[in-house]
Amino acid sequence: KSTVSPKPTRTSPTRQPLRPRPTKMPTGLRRTTGVRQVALTFDDGPSPAWTPKILDQLRAAKVTATFCLVGSEVRHHPELVRRIVREGHQLCNHSWRHDIDLGRRTVAEIRADLERTNKAIRAAVPNAKISFYRQPGGVWTPEVVAVAKQLGMSPLHWSVDPQDWRRPPAKTISKRVLAAVRPGSIVLMHDGGGNRAATAAACQSLIGELKRHYGVTRLS
């Protein structure tokens, strides 16, 4: 009696189902500077249209900021990462493609994404110090916090969010920041991910006002 073995079927690897969306923020997030001065952070770049404008304004005000970089954008614009570092700003990993659900994926997927992004940043700037990780959308989970820390990055949240990514007018962005800012605030804004003309316009006066009233510091 002969038996015919079935032909092997080719199956593509399936992604693991996402863990449930978190109902509360995990512990271990950096939300303040720890000093009176405030910190400026810019997400979703680097963008050839907007990052240079923000960098020009920071340089004119003689202050530094933290740039939360998306890996796929870093790959396309390494020269902007080099300028960010050259002008004394800090670097933050902001995932490879701004995956809001990244923290809900498997630990292996989270680690691969963060490592890929760090690798792209270091391809632009060898030995770059990447001090921070910021989860897209602020959808933090204990797993993504743990992986970031294992890779030597502090999980960086914020305390002031003017929702500038929704593209309100520049005056609205400024008003929201100044109404919410307190000593030690970490301010979230965007230099990439879309048209950031309003953010760039708001920063023309906002950076100076924050510097005068609170001082602007590097994150330590």
Side-chain angles (χ1 to χ4, degrees):
K1 185 179 175 181
S2 64
T3 57
V4 181
S5 7
K7 287 186 179 175
T9 55
R10 289 181 68 112
T11 57
S12 57
T14 53
R15 292 195 96 152
Q16 295 290 320
L18 294 173
R19 280 189 300 276
R21 195 174 177 90
T23 54
K24 62 177 184 176
M25 297 284 257
T27 58
L29 302 181
R30 179 78 181 271
R31 299 166 184 259
T32 65
T33 64
V35 292
R36 175 179 167 74
Q37 291 91 345
V38 303
L40 299 172
T41 65
F42 293 93
D43 284 18
D44 299 358
S47 157
W50 307 111
T51 304
K53 290 181 169 56
I54 298 295
L55 286 168
D56 289 348
Q57 292 175 11
L58 292 166
R59 185 168 59 188
K62 297 185 171 59
V63 299
T64 58
T66 301
F67 285 83
C68 300
L69 304 173
V70 173
S72 56
E73 297 302 318
V74 166
R75 183 174 62 181
H76 293 306
H77 309 292
E79 73 289 347
L80 290 175
V81 184
R82 288 192 281 273
R83 180 178 169 190
I84 287 168
V85 171
R86 191 166 63 243
E87 297 188 2
H89 304 288
Q90 292 175 291
L91 301 180
C92 172
N93 179 322
H94 196 36
S95 85
W96 181 256
R97 58 178 182 86
H98 203 272
D99 180 4
I100 285 177
D101 289 323
L102 181 61
R104 300 168 62 200
R105 302 193 189 282
T106 66
V107 168
E109 286 176 295
I110 294 169
R111 178 179 284 273
D113 186 295
L114 270 57
E115 286 181 335
R116 185 183 186 189
T117 304
N118 280 351
K119 188 176 177 183
I121 293 170
R122 291 189 172 122
V125 183
N127 304 314
K129 184 170 174 55
I130 307 165
S131 302
F132 304 101
Y133 172 74
R134 175 171 279 169
Q135 169 59 28
V139 186
W140 294 95
T141 61
E143 291 80 7
V144 77
V145 168
V147 171
K149 288 183 174 179
Q150 287 160 15
L151 295 176
M153 297 181 289
S154 175
L156 180 62
H157 198 61
W158 57 82
S159 51
V160 176
D161 177 8
Q163 300 272 301
D164 66 319
W165 60 273
R166 294 181 186 272
R167 296 196 280 173
K171 281 184 180 175
T172 302
I173 295 171
S174 294
K175 190 183 296 183
R176 287 174 179 173
V177 170
L178 294 172
V181 74
R182 301 287 183 272
S185 288
I186 295 175
V187 181
L188 165 66
M189 289 187 284
H190 294 77
D191 66 318
N195 184 325
R196 300 298 173 225
T199 301
C203 283
Q204 288 176 359
S205 60
L206 187 56
I207 292 172
E209 286 205 52
L210 292 174
K211 183 181 178 183
R212 276 195 302 279
H213 292 296
Y214 299 92
V216 174
T217 187
R218 284 170 65 86
L219 290 166
S220 57

